[in-house]
Structure formats: C-alpha cells, structure tokens
Amino acid sequence: MVFVGGPRQVGKTTLALHLLDQDAKHPAYLNWDIDRHRNRILNGDLPADDLLVFDEIHKYARWRGLLKGFYDEFVPSRSALVVGSASLDHYRKGGDSLQGRYHYYRLHPYSLREMSAVPNADDLQSLLRFGGFPEPLSKQNVNHWRRWNLERGARVLREDLRDLERVMEVSLLELLHASLLRRVASPLSLQALREDLQVSHDSVRRWLTIFDNLYFTFRISPYGAPTIRAVKKEQKLYFWDWSALPDEGARFENLVACQLLKYCHYRQDTEGYAMELRYVRDTDKREVDFVVLEDGAPKFAVECKLADTDCSPHLKYFRDRTSIPEFYQVHTRGKDYVLARGIRVLPFERFVVELELP
C-alpha cells in the first residue's frame, strides 16, 4: 500500500484519479466524505479492481483495521492508494499497527523547477505572489486567490479540526493563525503566544501540533553544532502556503523553507535517507536561516535575502566554526558571485537548478 499525505487542495485527489485514468465516478475511488462511498466502506462492499483509492479515510475511527485487513487478504494481488489532508503517520497511532504494510509519501505544493525547466525571475515572482497550490497558481488572478485563501483557511480551521480533533475553541485557533502570520521566520516564543491568547502553555503547544499534523504549518529546530554556543530549543515556524504572509522578506524565506523541506522529504521518502531541515543560531543572535542534514551530517546551509546588496557576515562566522561544508545566500534579484571560500551568493532560481532540487 502507498499513503500520500499533504496539505488540503495540493492535488492529492487529482493525482489519485490520474492513476485510475478516470474521474471521481470511477468505482475504485472511495471517498469517506461521500455518503454512498462511506456506506460501501463500512459494509465491506469493496470493488474488485486491482487498485483501490481511499480518500480521507483517516476520518474513520477504525480505518487502520480496515486497511490492515485489506493488506492481509489481498496484497500483493491487489494494491491500495490512501490519500488524505492530514499526517497519516500521526493519525495511524493506536489500534492495529500498519508498520511494514505501506510506504508513505508527502505531496508538496509546486516548486520553482516544476513551473519551468529553466525558471526565471518572473516564475519566482508568480510563486511568491500566488503560492504553490495548483488552483491559484494556474489562474494567477488576485481576486480568485483572495477567495481561495479564505475558503481554504476556513476548511482547515473548521472542517478538518471538527473531523480529526476534539477542539472546542476554534475561534482561538483562528486568532493563533493570525498571530503566527506575523511570527514566521522568527524564533517562536510559546510564552508570547500564550500571553496573546490568554491560554495555557499546554494549549498553545497542543494547537501548534494540530496545525503541523494538518499540514497547515511546519516547524524546524536549531542545529546544535558543538563548536558554537547554539540555541537548543527555540523552533521556527513556517506555513505550507506562504502567499498570505504580509511581509515580503518573510514570504520569500517561507518559500525557500518549503523548497528545502520538499527536498528533504523527497530524499527521505524515495531513497530512505534520514533528512532534516534545521537552522543555526547562537546565543549572540547570529543566525543562518537553514541547514540541511543528511544522516545527521550537515550538507549545506542557506541564507535568504531579497537582494544581494546586504551579505550576511554570519556566513563567514559559522563557516569557520562549524562543519557545514557549503553556504549559499539566495536572493530574488541580484548577481551570482562567490563571496568567499565556501560561500556563494546567487539568485534563487539558479540555486534550485544547480542543486537539482525537486
């Protein structure tokens, strides 16, 4: 079996139907949100097709047992594709274990290289303005993007929370969402969020975890290189959809974070490497935005700037004091040049091509 998780409206259902080479009326497509499909699942009335697609089935409390029974009875003569707008690895906890019975893949929004084989600055500006989700990116209409953004946020914060989590304070989660939009790219303070919302630390921590599990946000931890006085606990938070961020610099950094996370997930899901996306910051507030780790070892670090006129001195500082082999400073407009040994400044569209990021 194959599980595909990812944000709401990123294209999981479209991908699944493409594999069936049909539309949503194909009998092998079973969507838990459709009444007649749900009844077929509950009654065990499954089609005889070689490939079955289960969409949003994780909303069924006993979905693990159903899929375990399907696997034990039919695999390898038949197969199943399970898609959902939640972290299926998280929501499979408890009940019958599915360990060893599936492969898990994560479907991300469009990246720059998926827009064009040779992306340019205009492609990058479109991605920054409309985000990487297929519908608003393909239309590139501001009015449509605004409506789409409001509708998607309402569905995640209300429908998905209602179906998957026991959350009564939906209005407070909406306030948390608004507060987080202003905190992207900065170390996240649970104390500040608690004071804003006037709730407990445990509530804020639980709500952030819910956002992560619903593919609404993701967080990265600091890289604690032993040769620097690195911060240990403060995480940074980013959104899967960066287009709504009001600050241009934070929006670009969030886009880069999503691109690097996509690279990490791709290597992990398809090749089995233990990939991590982190950032590096010391107690004197020197920071580089991202560090990519492979099997625990740093591969490269990335700093984000809107232009190349302000080169960060922190790149040289951490180059001399850590084992990170390569540092890149990426920008939306400017030149391509080597700043110093092991440090290169270049446009983001060239960076993704040269490093062959997905």
Side-chain angles (χ1 to χ4, degrees), residues 32 83 92 96 100 108 116 118 121 161 168 183 198 235 241 247 252 270 288 306 311 318 326 333 347 352-353 358:
W32 181 257
V83 298
R92 73 169 176 81
D96 292 326
H108 283 246
S116 171
V118 184
L161 283 173
M168 304 301 294
R183 289 178 163 83
Q198 297 184 352
Q235 294 180 315
D241 177 22
D247 181 77
F252 176 54
T270 64
V288 174
L306 288 177
C311 297
F318 287 117
E326 300 289 341
R333 50 188 179 270
V352 299
V353 170

Side-chain angles (χ1 to χ4, degrees), residues 1 3 32 38 41-42 54 56-70 82 91-98 163-164:
M1 298 187 295
F3 290 6
W32 181 257
R38 183 163 58 248
I41 294 172
L42 292 174
F54 296 98
E56 300 291 341
I57 197 175
H58 59 279
K59 296 177 181 177
Y60 173 38
R62 299 178 180 177
W63 69 280
R64 296 172 295 269
L66 185 147
L67 291 178
K68 181 177 182 295
F70 174 89
V82 182
Y91 287 106
R92 73 169 176 81
K93 290 190 293 187
D96 292 326
S97 173
L98 294 169
D163 291 337
L164 295 171

